[in-house]
Amino acid sequence: MVEPRSTLPIPFGWFAIGVSSDFASGGVYTLNYFDTEFVLWRGQDGKLRALDPFCPHLGAHLGKGGEVVGNDLQCPFHHWTFEGQGIVTGIPYTPAIPPQLKRPCGRGWRIEERFGVVYTWFHPAKADPLWELAAAEELENGEWDRVDGQQWRIGVHVQEITENGVDYAHFRAVHGTKSPPEPTWEIKGYQRNSRVTAKMETPRGLVDGTIVVRNTGPGQSFIRFHGISELLVVNLPTPINREATLLRQEFYVPKSLEGSPRRAAMGVARNIMFQVEQDMPIWENKRFEPRPILVRGDGPILDYRKQYAQYYAEPVEA
């Protein structure tokens, strides 16, 4: 019997589940994340809604033949219709809907759209959100352009991907970074912020640069580059199950950035994506070490794990 490479559970939080253009008006979509399944649709009002996939009436799968009727989802079996909290809005062959079917039933998923990315709140016990979806302040005024984006399906637990950022020693060993980062840290509840100023390699030689990272929960990270270029990376890891993650990265630059500064920013973006692909074969073949043997220079891995442990609904060894 092959032992699992990680015994960590799936964390709770806000996670990206796609981009807005993936979900057309009137479309019904079955999504598989968090080692579970749910059905999402976009109503006539343009709003996205999501429910657990099986009709509570006689168990039909709402994503297999279900249709959008106005803003509601119609079951393919008996044409019951549901709104986004699971409330029954119509039964075509019954004159009166029973009162218990007119109440939210706990089958709904909270969905938010922010700057073209679709997020859901996941908690294994269906608990309400413990913090608000974070926003990128750079994008609020409409003065930044999305210039690139990429996604990867990676065979590793989601915590391993974000923990990689505090594994300072690997930057030199895997990526050949001449000046591995050693940022300052700040932890405030569900937020973790860091800042590093370092020499960064460019075609023009070493340039002073600053990287500011703002994390909220396990599924949202905003990485802002200054100096070497003006670039914002929105890093969005989402658990598929305990041993697989979908990692999305969205890249933005100021609309005013032109010429060589814009090309420099795009070069940094390409290098970030290249580094992910350098890490992937290691991630996909490693196992999680709950009691690692660490030495000076490894980075604050244990501090990171202690903070990350709060995103689990069950106790874990930090």
Side-chain angles (χ1 to χ4, degrees):
M1 181 177 178
V2 178
E3 293 185 3
R5 292 184 293 117
S6 174
T7 58
L8 292 170
I10 295 174
F12 59 78
W14 288 101
F15 295 98
I17 56 171
V19 295
S20 297
S21 59
D22 291 339
F23 308 115
S25 180
V28 180
Y29 306 88
T30 300
L31 302 182
N32 291 274
Y33 291 103
F34 321 114
D35 204 18
T36 190
E37 190 174 61
F38 54 100
V39 174
L40 180 144
W41 72 97
R42 192 183 294 279
Q44 289 183 353
D45 60 0
K47 184 178 178 180
L48 288 171
R49 299 167 175 85
L51 287 174
D52 290 345
F54 297 104
C55 180
H57 175 215
L58 283 173
H61 195 295
L62 299 173
K64 308 299 182 182
E67 295 184 4
V68 177
V69 178
N71 296 323
D72 299 335
L73 182 61
Q74 177 179 275
C75 175
F77 201 5
H78 299 88
H79 289 189
W80 289 29
T81 53
F82 300 88
E83 54 88 77
Q85 292 183 299
I87 296 172
V88 177
T89 58
I91 302 175
Y93 52 87
T94 296
I97 299 173
Q100 67 268 28
L101 299 181
K102 295 181 179 181
R103 295 191 291 268
C105 61
R107 299 175 56 248
W109 290 67
R110 293 176 184 265
I111 304 293
E112 297 280 351
E113 287 186 83
R114 194 72 58 87
F115 302 113
V117 177
V118 180
Y119 299 88
T120 191
W121 169 263
F122 167 75
H123 192 286
K126 293 281 191 177
D128 289 337
L130 299 177
W131 63 88
E132 293 185 0
L133 182 69
E137 58 191 37
E138 292 87 350
L139 306 183
E140 295 288 347
N141 57 18
E143 295 179 359
W144 287 62
D145 280 332
R146 181 187 181 278
V147 292
D148 207 345
Q150 182 62 279
Q151 67 177 36
W152 302 265
R153 189 187 193 279
I154 306 171
V156 71
H157 188 279
V158 64
Q159 180 179 320
E160 299 267 35
I161 292 178
T162 51
E163 183 175 298
N164 202 65
V166 297
D167 176 6
Y168 300 159
H170 100 280
F171 285 100
R172 186 188 301 273
V174 178
H175 307 306
T177 304
K178 293 184 175 62
S179 302
E182 292 189 15
T184 58
W185 263 55
E186 178 187 47
I187 294 176
K188 292 183 177 180
Y190 296 112
Q191 294 183 320
R192 186 181 66 257
N193 302 318
S194 65
R195 180 185 184 92
V196 60
T197 299
K199 297 286 186 182
M200 302 181 185
E201 297 89 357
T202 75
R204 307 186 305 275
L206 292 177
V207 174
D208 289 328
T210 301
I211 306 173
V212 178
V213 182
R214 311 187 302 271
N215 294 277
T216 301
Q220 284 186 285
S221 179
F222 303 112
I223 307 169
R224 175 71 183 274
F225 288 78
H226 303 268
I228 180 176
S229 65
E230 289 296 319
L231 176 71
L232 174 68
V233 186
V234 182
N235 200 59
L236 303 167
T238 301
I240 297 171
N241 53 47
R242 292 187 181 213
E243 294 194 350
T245 301
L246 188 71
L247 175 63
R248 291 179 174 85
Q249 289 185 335
E250 300 284 310
F251 298 89
Y252 298 84
V253 301
K255 292 180 178 179
S256 59
L257 201 67
E258 298 178 346
S260 59
R262 192 180 185 94
R263 289 192 294 272
M266 296 303 299
V268 173
R270 287 191 296 271
N271 186 57
I272 291 170
M273 290 185 279
F274 175 67
Q275 288 190 14
V276 170
E277 292 170 0
Q278 286 181 307
D279 286 322
M280 282 175 59
I282 297 174
W283 288 335
E284 293 189 323
N285 291 283
K286 75 184 299 295
R287 72 175 184 181
F288 179 76
E289 290 290 347
R291 291 177 292 278
I293 300 173
L294 300 176
V295 299
R296 184 175 180 179
D298 276 323
I301 292 173
L302 296 183
D303 288 340
Y304 171 85
R305 290 186 178 184
K306 182 178 180 180
Q307 197 259 353
Y308 198 99
Q310 69 184 320
Y311 305 129
Y312 295 118
E314 57 191 84
V316 299
E317 186 172 0

